[in-house]
Amino acid sequence: MSNHLFDAFRSRMPAPGRLLMEIDDGRSLSYGYMLERSAQLAHALLQLDVEPGDRVAVQVEKSPEAVLLYLACLRAGAVFLPLNTAYTLTELEYFFSDAEPRLVVCDPARASDIAALAEKTGAATLTLGRDGQGTLTDQASRLPMDFHDVARGPDDLAAILYTSGTTGRSKGAMLSHENLASNARVLVEHWRFTGEDVLIHALPIFHTHGLFVATNVILMSGASMLFEQKFDPARIISLLPRATVLMGVPTFYVRLLQQDGLDREAAKNIRVFISGSAPLLAETHRAWRERTGHAILERYGMTETNMNTSNPYQGERRAGTVGFPLPGVTLRIADPDSGAALAQGEVGMIEVKGPNVFGGYWRMPEKTKAEFRADGFFITGDLGLIDADGYVHIVGRGKDLVISGGYNIYPKELESEIDALDGVSESAVIGVAHPDFGEGVTAVVVRAPASRITGAEILGAIGERVAKYKLPKRVIFVDELPRNTMGKVQKNLLRETYKDLYTA
Ligand code: MCA
Ligand code: AMP
């Protein structure tokens, strides 16, 4: 048996001397170097007793070494488990206890805190610095530069990515080698990637967008990337003439539009601008077209499914839509309760099926079962319709979720944290239109009787427990929350009341 995903990359790999990534610190990495260094890291993983199927949890700053570690995990047959660098120790503790990784890899600066946590679940902790320093890197540098990849089949797990739940705890989406390989192959073809492409990679690499959509597509087409640690709009403009593709969340495009240097001349070498992870406003699409002459290509995906739909490469890229189902993906609009297919044009639950769709949530068979129909369709939680020309529109969410700058934030998690504070009676967390982040997380709070708790105190207290990007941008105090006759908080009313909070 071969190693399903890594073999797929190998089959498209160019000559070893070809550039894989040019990094913003001046370094360049070739495909040959990637093969050698990922081989060394794979040897190191085996030496650390990582066995096929073992989880390797990784919370490190974006760096080429982190990409090499991802590839080493694939080659060693391990399950890669990337974690947002913003996660707090409280959040990490849950992920470690749930996933039970064999190994935790982190930045040197957090090593002692994280090692103490990892030890509780029996995991060893090693470090990987952005500059190539660290205990894992040291160990790997002494090992052979070739490696016999561990056999992994299409259905074996390649990665677990945690996605927050609308109720309760985060769930680990289990992604197989074939989930990732099939989606990367389809995207390469659909978006016409070739070995000549140069992608500006300015996304984080701990989520689907930066890791699987961006990085896997580059590896699957033998192309190269300009690898940026941070999204810096002025710098992105300066890189445009040397690149052919940019992938980003809508906030990237909103911020780039604020730059004077963005014009047709700057964008003339670019083949395609791609957006996803959150809705791109039609007005951003229009403004971009006016400034650059390019229609942004919007696509739609999820952690659980990789990419489901895309606007066409050739043909009309329709603003406010996410295009058509990708080849191999079946998408239907169904009645949210019964699952019965609805007529064209009707709004319902978006459900998908295909080789891209994950196998289930890690050690949560009941949650998995609840999110699939009996005929195998995955219930996305997104509400949409298919128009007369076949374009898919996302018109709302059946799940209580806020998407801020491309990151998902589940109100339930924040409400539980806020409600647990002394001085708070109850809270409702909502998303409100935000000019930069798309939606701004907003907490509406009812104080406990006689309490004088302030917004700053609330943010200070929960800020120690949840990642910073999740923190409400505003805290609003009210005497009571609006409820319907069933006693359910009417978030629609709250969203309406505060709709101009960030734009007025
Ligand atoms: C940073 N902050 C945020 C966000 N990002 N607040 C709300 N929403 C955010 N997205 C906060 C920080 O905590 C900090 O707070 C302050 O804003 C500035 O932080 P900084 O690091 O400078 O922010 P930034 O560099 O300006 O980051 C904004 C960003 C970033 C570039 C838009 O959020 C980003 O890279 N987003 C991409 C997320 C992504 O890759 N999503 C894909 C998920 P303070 O000032 O208090 O310290 S995959 C997915 O969704 C599916 C599968 C799909 O379809 O792709
Ligand atoms: P995540 O669970 O972080 O992978 O986020 C997936 C969710 O992001 C989807 O269920 C959608 O709600 C949203 N999403 C992704 N791409 C788009 C898009 N192009 N337009 C609207 N929503 C999107």
mmCIF file of all heavy atoms in Angstrom, residues 233-270:
data_model
loop_
_atom_site.group_PDB
_atom_site.id
_atom_site.type_symbol
_atom_site.label_atom_id
_atom_site.label_comp_id
_atom_site.label_asym_id
_atom_site.label_seq_id
_atom_site.Cartn_x
_atom_site.Cartn_y
_atom_site.Cartn_z
ATOM 1 N N PRO A 233 -1.515 44.359 4.270
ATOM 2 C CA PRO A 233 -2.064 44.768 2.975
ATOM 3 C C PRO A 233 -1.069 45.493 2.067
ATOM 4 O O PRO A 233 -1.029 45.222 0.859
ATOM 5 C CB PRO A 233 -3.237 45.673 3.341
ATOM 6 C CG PRO A 233 -3.355 45.692 4.814
ATOM 7 C CD PRO A 233 -2.301 44.846 5.413
ATOM 8 N N ALA A 234 -0.257 46.392 2.631
ATOM 9 C CA ALA A 234 0.686 47.132 1.778
ATOM 10 C C ALA A 234 1.683 46.155 1.145
ATOM 11 O O ALA A 234 2.045 46.271 -0.033
ATOM 12 C CB ALA A 234 1.424 48.187 2.608
ATOM 13 N N ARG A 235 2.112 45.200 1.916
ATOM 14 C CA ARG A 235 3.074 44.228 1.398
ATOM 15 C C ARG A 235 2.423 43.330 0.328
ATOM 16 O O ARG A 235 3.042 42.992 -0.680
ATOM 17 C CB ARG A 235 3.625 43.374 2.541
ATOM 18 C CG ARG A 235 4.890 42.679 2.144
ATOM 19 C CD ARG A 235 5.574 41.936 3.239
ATOM 20 N NE ARG A 235 6.101 40.701 2.698
ATOM 21 C CZ ARG A 235 7.233 40.595 2.040
ATOM 22 N NH1 ARG A 235 8.000 41.645 1.833
ATOM 23 N NH2 ARG A 235 7.632 39.424 1.549
ATOM 24 N N ILE A 236 1.172 42.971 0.552
ATOM 25 C CA ILE A 236 0.484 42.125 -0.445
ATOM 26 C C ILE A 236 0.434 42.870 -1.784
ATOM 27 O O ILE A 236 0.690 42.292 -2.840
ATOM 28 C CB ILE A 236 -0.959 41.773 0.013
ATOM 29 C CG1 ILE A 236 -0.944 41.047 1.353
ATOM 30 C CG2 ILE A 236 -1.697 40.962 -1.059
ATOM 31 C CD1 ILE A 236 -0.315 39.697 1.409
ATOM 32 N N ILE A 237 0.134 44.163 -1.746
ATOM 33 C CA ILE A 237 0.079 44.940 -2.996
ATOM 34 C C ILE A 237 1.448 44.885 -3.682
ATOM 35 O O ILE A 237 1.543 44.706 -4.895
ATOM 36 C CB ILE A 237 -0.298 46.419 -2.720
ATOM 37 C CG1 ILE A 237 -1.624 46.508 -1.963
ATOM 38 C CG2 ILE A 237 -0.305 47.244 -4.017
ATOM 39 C CD1 ILE A 237 -2.864 46.542 -2.762
ATOM 40 N N SER A 238 2.504 44.988 -2.890
ATOM 41 C CA SER A 238 3.848 44.987 -3.497
ATOM 42 C C SER A 238 4.198 43.624 -4.080
ATOM 43 O O SER A 238 5.045 43.523 -4.963
ATOM 44 C CB SER A 238 4.901 45.432 -2.468
ATOM 45 O OG SER A 238 5.138 44.361 -1.563
ATOM 46 N N LEU A 239 3.542 42.556 -3.594
ATOM 47 C CA LEU A 239 3.838 41.210 -4.113
ATOM 48 C C LEU A 239 3.016 40.862 -5.352
ATOM 49 O O LEU A 239 3.360 39.934 -6.091
ATOM 50 C CB LEU A 239 3.553 40.153 -3.030
ATOM 51 C CG LEU A 239 4.447 40.159 -1.786
ATOM 52 C CD1 LEU A 239 3.958 39.108 -0.788
ATOM 53 C CD2 LEU A 239 5.913 39.894 -2.144
ATOM 54 N N LEU A 240 1.910 41.593 -5.577
ATOM 55 C CA LEU A 240 0.994 41.216 -6.665
ATOM 56 C C LEU A 240 1.706 41.021 -8.019
ATOM 57 O O LEU A 240 1.428 40.040 -8.715
ATOM 58 C CB LEU A 240 -0.137 42.251 -6.811
ATOM 59 C CG LEU A 240 -1.197 42.268 -5.700
ATOM 60 C CD1 LEU A 240 -2.194 43.409 -5.925
ATOM 61 C CD2 LEU A 240 -1.942 40.939 -5.621
ATOM 62 N N PRO A 241 2.623 41.904 -8.410
ATOM 63 C CA PRO A 241 3.229 41.740 -9.731
ATOM 64 C C PRO A 241 4.036 40.446 -9.883
ATOM 65 O O PRO A 241 4.298 39.996 -10.999
ATOM 66 C CB PRO A 241 4.165 42.961 -9.840
ATOM 67 C CG PRO A 241 3.608 43.959 -8.874
ATOM 68 C CD PRO A 241 3.036 43.145 -7.757
ATOM 69 N N ARG A 242 4.422 39.834 -8.754
ATOM 70 C CA ARG A 242 5.220 38.602 -8.830
ATOM 71 C C ARG A 242 4.363 37.350 -8.661
ATOM 72 O O ARG A 242 4.880 36.245 -8.633
ATOM 73 C CB ARG A 242 6.306 38.631 -7.752
ATOM 74 C CG ARG A 242 7.254 39.823 -7.937
ATOM 75 C CD ARG A 242 8.284 39.876 -6.848
ATOM 76 N NE ARG A 242 8.804 38.546 -6.603
ATOM 77 C CZ ARG A 242 9.054 38.056 -5.396
ATOM 78 N NH1 ARG A 242 8.850 38.785 -4.330
ATOM 79 N NH2 ARG A 242 9.532 36.844 -5.263
ATOM 80 N N ALA A 243 3.066 37.529 -8.481
ATOM 81 C CA ALA A 243 2.202 36.386 -8.195
ATOM 82 C C ALA A 243 1.158 36.208 -9.291
ATOM 83 O O ALA A 243 0.971 37.083 -10.138
ATOM 84 C CB ALA A 243 1.509 36.601 -6.854
ATOM 85 N N THR A 244 0.487 35.034 -9.265
ATOM 86 C CA THR A 244 -0.594 34.802 -10.229
ATOM 87 C C THR A 244 -1.937 34.588 -9.550
ATOM 88 O O THR A 244 -2.978 34.662 -10.200
ATOM 89 C CB THR A 244 -0.300 33.569 -11.110
ATOM 90 O OG1 THR A 244 -0.204 32.414 -10.265
ATOM 91 C CG2 THR A 244 1.004 33.739 -11.889
ATOM 92 N N VAL A 245 -1.923 34.242 -8.245
ATOM 93 C CA VAL A 245 -3.181 33.968 -7.527
ATOM 94 C C VAL A 245 -3.089 34.530 -6.106
ATOM 95 O O VAL A 245 -2.033 34.464 -5.474
ATOM 96 C CB VAL A 245 -3.448 32.438 -7.422
ATOM 97 C CG1 VAL A 245 -4.810 32.176 -6.756
ATOM 98 C CG2 VAL A 245 -3.387 31.737 -8.768
ATOM 99 N N LEU A 246 -4.220 35.054 -5.622
ATOM 100 C CA LEU A 246 -4.339 35.409 -4.202
ATOM 101 C C LEU A 246 -5.565 34.697 -3.651
ATOM 102 O O LEU A 246 -6.613 34.686 -4.290
ATOM 103 C CB LEU A 246 -4.509 36.922 -4.024
ATOM 104 C CG LEU A 246 -4.816 37.383 -2.582
ATOM 105 C CD1 LEU A 246 -3.604 37.207 -1.665
ATOM 106 C CD2 LEU A 246 -5.255 38.846 -2.545
ATOM 107 N N MET A 247 -5.408 34.065 -2.492
ATOM 108 C CA MET A 247 -6.567 33.489 -1.801
ATOM 109 C C MET A 247 -6.730 34.229 -0.491
ATOM 110 O O MET A 247 -5.748 34.450 0.219
ATOM 111 C CB MET A 247 -6.332 32.016 -1.463
ATOM 112 C CG MET A 247 -6.360 31.094 -2.643
ATOM 113 S SD MET A 247 -6.159 29.390 -2.079
ATOM 114 C CE MET A 247 -5.887 28.584 -3.655
ATOM 115 N N GLY A 248 -7.971 34.582 -0.152
ATOM 116 C CA GLY A 248 -8.151 35.292 1.109
ATOM 117 C C GLY A 248 -9.570 35.220 1.621
ATOM 118 O O GLY A 248 -10.491 34.785 0.918
ATOM 119 N N VAL A 249 -9.718 35.653 2.869
ATOM 120 C CA VAL A 249 -11.057 35.822 3.441
ATOM 121 C C VAL A 249 -11.537 37.214 3.019
ATOM 122 O O VAL A 249 -10.717 38.056 2.616
ATOM 123 C CB VAL A 249 -11.023 35.672 4.985
ATOM 124 C CG1 VAL A 249 -10.641 34.257 5.377
ATOM 125 C CG2 VAL A 249 -10.054 36.667 5.629
ATOM 126 N N PRO A 250 -12.841 37.497 3.101
ATOM 127 C CA PRO A 250 -13.326 38.811 2.661
ATOM 128 C C PRO A 250 -12.605 39.989 3.319
ATOM 129 O O PRO A 250 -12.378 41.015 2.671
ATOM 130 C CB PRO A 250 -14.818 38.772 3.031
ATOM 131 C CG PRO A 250 -15.177 37.319 2.919
ATOM 132 C CD PRO A 250 -13.968 36.576 3.421
ATOM 133 N N THR A 251 -12.232 39.855 4.591
ATOM 134 C CA THR A 251 -11.523 40.954 5.267
ATOM 135 C C THR A 251 -10.230 41.332 4.518
ATOM 136 O O THR A 251 -9.842 42.499 4.478
ATOM 137 C CB THR A 251 -11.217 40.573 6.736
ATOM 138 O OG1 THR A 251 -12.467 40.318 7.396
ATOM 139 C CG2 THR A 251 -10.481 41.663 7.478
ATOM 140 N N PHE A 252 -9.563 40.353 3.899
ATOM 141 C CA PHE A 252 -8.365 40.675 3.095
ATOM 142 C C PHE A 252 -8.745 41.686 2.001
ATOM 143 O O PHE A 252 -8.072 42.685 1.787
ATOM 144 C CB PHE A 252 -7.831 39.427 2.380
ATOM 145 C CG PHE A 252 -6.975 38.491 3.203
ATOM 146 C CD1 PHE A 252 -7.036 38.480 4.580
ATOM 147 C CD2 PHE A 252 -6.098 37.613 2.574
ATOM 148 C CE1 PHE A 252 -6.258 37.597 5.326
ATOM 149 C CE2 PHE A 252 -5.307 36.745 3.302
ATOM 150 C CZ PHE A 252 -5.387 36.724 4.682
ATOM 151 N N TYR A 253 -9.848 41.360 1.283
ATOM 152 C CA TYR A 253 -10.219 42.194 0.147
ATOM 153 C C TYR A 253 -10.684 43.576 0.599
ATOM 154 O O TYR A 253 -10.378 44.588 -0.029
ATOM 155 C CB TYR A 253 -11.264 41.464 -0.717
ATOM 156 C CG TYR A 253 -10.636 40.240 -1.375
ATOM 157 C CD1 TYR A 253 -10.798 38.960 -0.853
ATOM 158 C CD2 TYR A 253 -9.799 40.395 -2.477
ATOM 159 C CE1 TYR A 253 -10.175 37.858 -1.432
ATOM 160 C CE2 TYR A 253 -9.165 39.300 -3.060
ATOM 161 C CZ TYR A 253 -9.354 38.037 -2.530
ATOM 162 O OH TYR A 253 -8.716 36.957 -3.090
ATOM 163 N N VAL A 254 -11.401 43.608 1.719
ATOM 164 C CA VAL A 254 -11.861 44.892 2.265
ATOM 165 C C VAL A 254 -10.651 45.761 2.617
ATOM 166 O O VAL A 254 -10.587 46.956 2.288
ATOM 167 C CB VAL A 254 -12.742 44.649 3.519
ATOM 168 C CG1 VAL A 254 -12.994 45.932 4.284
ATOM 169 C CG2 VAL A 254 -14.067 43.999 3.113
ATOM 170 N N ARG A 255 -9.661 45.169 3.270
ATOM 171 C CA ARG A 255 -8.479 45.950 3.679
ATOM 172 C C ARG A 255 -7.613 46.335 2.477
ATOM 173 O O ARG A 255 -7.044 47.429 2.451
ATOM 174 C CB ARG A 255 -7.654 45.159 4.690
ATOM 175 C CG ARG A 255 -8.369 45.000 6.027
ATOM 176 C CD ARG A 255 -7.456 44.395 7.060
ATOM 177 N NE ARG A 255 -8.185 44.155 8.308
ATOM 178 C CZ ARG A 255 -7.660 43.618 9.391
ATOM 179 N NH1 ARG A 255 -6.386 43.260 9.391
ATOM 180 N NH2 ARG A 255 -8.374 43.428 10.476
ATOM 181 N N LEU A 256 -7.521 45.460 1.480
ATOM 182 C CA LEU A 256 -6.718 45.796 0.293
ATOM 183 C C LEU A 256 -7.341 46.959 -0.473
ATOM 184 O O LEU A 256 -6.624 47.792 -1.044
ATOM 185 C CB LEU A 256 -6.573 44.568 -0.616
ATOM 186 C CG LEU A 256 -5.620 43.491 -0.092
ATOM 187 C CD1 LEU A 256 -5.774 42.191 -0.879
ATOM 188 C CD2 LEU A 256 -4.169 43.972 -0.134
ATOM 189 N N LEU A 257 -8.675 47.012 -0.458
ATOM 190 C CA LEU A 257 -9.353 48.112 -1.152
ATOM 191 C C LEU A 257 -9.042 49.469 -0.518
ATOM 192 O O LEU A 257 -9.216 50.508 -1.144
ATOM 193 C CB LEU A 257 -10.876 47.877 -1.159
ATOM 194 C CG LEU A 257 -11.384 46.942 -2.262
ATOM 195 C CD1 LEU A 257 -12.820 46.495 -1.981
ATOM 196 C CD2 LEU A 257 -11.309 47.616 -3.634
ATOM 197 N N GLN A 258 -8.567 49.447 0.730
ATOM 198 C CA GLN A 258 -8.232 50.724 1.391
ATOM 199 C C GLN A 258 -6.831 51.208 1.017
ATOM 200 O O GLN A 258 -6.395 52.274 1.440
ATOM 201 C CB GLN A 258 -8.327 50.558 2.909
ATOM 202 C CG GLN A 258 -9.765 50.380 3.384
ATOM 203 C CD GLN A 258 -9.862 49.725 4.756
ATOM 204 O OE1 GLN A 258 -8.853 49.470 5.404
ATOM 205 N NE2 GLN A 258 -11.070 49.438 5.183
ATOM 206 N N GLN A 259 -6.115 50.404 0.220
ATOM 207 C CA GLN A 259 -4.743 50.769 -0.161
ATOM 208 C C GLN A 259 -4.740 51.584 -1.457
ATOM 209 O O GLN A 259 -5.390 51.193 -2.427
ATOM 210 C CB GLN A 259 -3.916 49.488 -0.388
ATOM 211 C CG GLN A 259 -3.759 48.629 0.832
ATOM 212 C CD GLN A 259 -2.810 49.244 1.846
ATOM 213 O OE1 GLN A 259 -1.730 49.695 1.496
ATOM 214 N NE2 GLN A 259 -3.228 49.273 3.092
ATOM 215 N N ASP A 260 -3.953 52.655 -1.451
ATOM 216 C CA ASP A 260 -3.875 53.486 -2.662
ATOM 217 C C ASP A 260 -3.299 52.734 -3.856
ATOM 218 O O ASP A 260 -3.671 52.953 -4.991
ATOM 219 C CB ASP A 260 -2.963 54.708 -2.401
ATOM 220 C CG ASP A 260 -3.670 55.693 -1.494
ATOM 221 O OD1 ASP A 260 -4.910 55.640 -1.438
ATOM 222 O OD2 ASP A 260 -2.971 56.481 -0.822
ATOM 223 N N GLY A 261 -2.376 51.838 -3.582
ATOM 224 C CA GLY A 261 -1.654 51.175 -4.685
ATOM 225 C C GLY A 261 -2.457 50.115 -5.428
ATOM 226 O O GLY A 261 -1.943 49.508 -6.373
ATOM 227 N N LEU A 262 -3.685 49.858 -5.012
ATOM 228 C CA LEU A 262 -4.461 48.806 -5.681
ATOM 229 C C LEU A 262 -5.112 49.359 -6.942
ATOM 230 O O LEU A 262 -6.021 50.182 -6.869
ATOM 231 C CB LEU A 262 -5.544 48.253 -4.742
ATOM 232 C CG LEU A 262 -6.346 47.110 -5.362
ATOM 233 C CD1 LEU A 262 -5.556 45.810 -5.369
ATOM 234 C CD2 LEU A 262 -7.680 46.917 -4.655
ATOM 235 N N ASP A 263 -4.616 48.903 -8.097
ATOM 236 C CA ASP A 263 -5.229 49.311 -9.358
ATOM 237 C C ASP A 263 -4.982 48.230 -10.417
ATOM 238 O O ASP A 263 -4.394 47.203 -10.119
ATOM 239 C CB ASP A 263 -4.689 50.679 -9.817
ATOM 240 C CG ASP A 263 -3.164 50.692 -9.911
ATOM 241 O OD1 ASP A 263 -2.562 49.599 -10.058
ATOM 242 O OD2 ASP A 263 -2.570 51.779 -9.819
ATOM 243 N N ARG A 264 -5.430 48.507 -11.632
ATOM 244 C CA ARG A 264 -5.308 47.512 -12.710
ATOM 245 C C ARG A 264 -3.860 47.153 -12.978
ATOM 246 O O ARG A 264 -3.521 45.990 -13.231
ATOM 247 C CB ARG A 264 -5.930 48.055 -13.996
ATOM 248 C CG ARG A 264 -7.422 47.954 -13.955
ATOM 249 C CD ARG A 264 -8.070 48.653 -15.128
ATOM 250 N NE ARG A 264 -9.493 48.680 -14.883
ATOM 251 C CZ ARG A 264 -10.378 47.878 -15.477
ATOM 252 N NH1 ARG A 264 -9.998 47.048 -16.401
ATOM 253 N NH2 ARG A 264 -11.658 47.928 -15.159
ATOM 254 N N GLU A 265 -3.004 48.145 -12.915
ATOM 255 C CA GLU A 265 -1.588 47.916 -13.191
ATOM 256 C C GLU A 265 -1.001 46.942 -12.154
ATOM 257 O O GLU A 265 -0.335 45.964 -12.502
ATOM 258 C CB GLU A 265 -0.860 49.278 -13.151
ATOM 259 C CG GLU A 265 0.622 49.252 -13.483
ATOM 260 C CD GLU A 265 0.934 48.660 -14.862
ATOM 261 O OE1 GLU A 265 0.063 48.724 -15.753
ATOM 262 O OE2 GLU A 265 2.055 48.112 -15.026
ATOM 263 N N ALA A 266 -1.311 47.187 -10.868
ATOM 264 C CA ALA A 266 -0.767 46.327 -9.802
ATOM 265 C C ALA A 266 -1.263 44.896 -9.959
ATOM 266 O O ALA A 266 -0.550 43.941 -9.654
ATOM 267 C CB ALA A 266 -1.171 46.871 -8.437
ATOM 268 N N ALA A 267 -2.511 44.730 -10.455
ATOM 269 C CA ALA A 267 -3.123 43.400 -10.488
ATOM 270 C C ALA A 267 -2.981 42.718 -11.843
ATOM 271 O O ALA A 267 -3.547 41.647 -12.059
ATOM 272 C CB ALA A 267 -4.598 43.524 -10.128
ATOM 273 N N LYS A 268 -2.182 43.295 -12.743
ATOM 274 C CA LYS A 268 -2.260 42.783 -14.119
ATOM 275 C C LYS A 268 -1.636 41.399 -14.306
ATOM 276 O O LYS A 268 -1.970 40.699 -15.250
ATOM 277 C CB LYS A 268 -1.739 43.809 -15.119
ATOM 278 C CG LYS A 268 -0.255 43.944 -15.246
ATOM 279 C CD LYS A 268 0.056 44.771 -16.512
ATOM 280 C CE LYS A 268 1.537 44.684 -16.815
ATOM 281 N NZ LYS A 268 2.304 45.846 -16.506
ATOM 282 N N ASN A 269 -0.758 40.992 -13.392
ATOM 283 C CA ASN A 269 -0.163 39.660 -13.520
ATOM 284 C C ASN A 269 -1.027 38.566 -12.888
ATOM 285 O O ASN A 269 -0.762 37.380 -13.036
ATOM 286 C CB ASN A 269 1.225 39.656 -12.854
ATOM 287 C CG ASN A 269 2.087 38.502 -13.320
ATOM 288 O OD1 ASN A 269 2.117 38.197 -14.514
ATOM 289 N ND2 ASN A 269 2.750 37.835 -12.391
ATOM 290 N N ILE A 270 -2.038 38.991 -12.132
ATOM 291 C CA ILE A 270 -2.845 38.013 -11.383
ATOM 292 C C ILE A 270 -3.835 37.320 -12.321
ATOM 293 O O ILE A 270 -4.500 37.956 -13.138
ATOM 294 C CB ILE A 270 -3.602 38.692 -10.215
ATOM 295 C CG1 ILE A 270 -2.614 39.273 -9.197
ATOM 296 C CG2 ILE A 270 -4.558 37.709 -9.541
ATOM 297 C CD1 ILE A 270 -1.870 38.279 -8.340
#
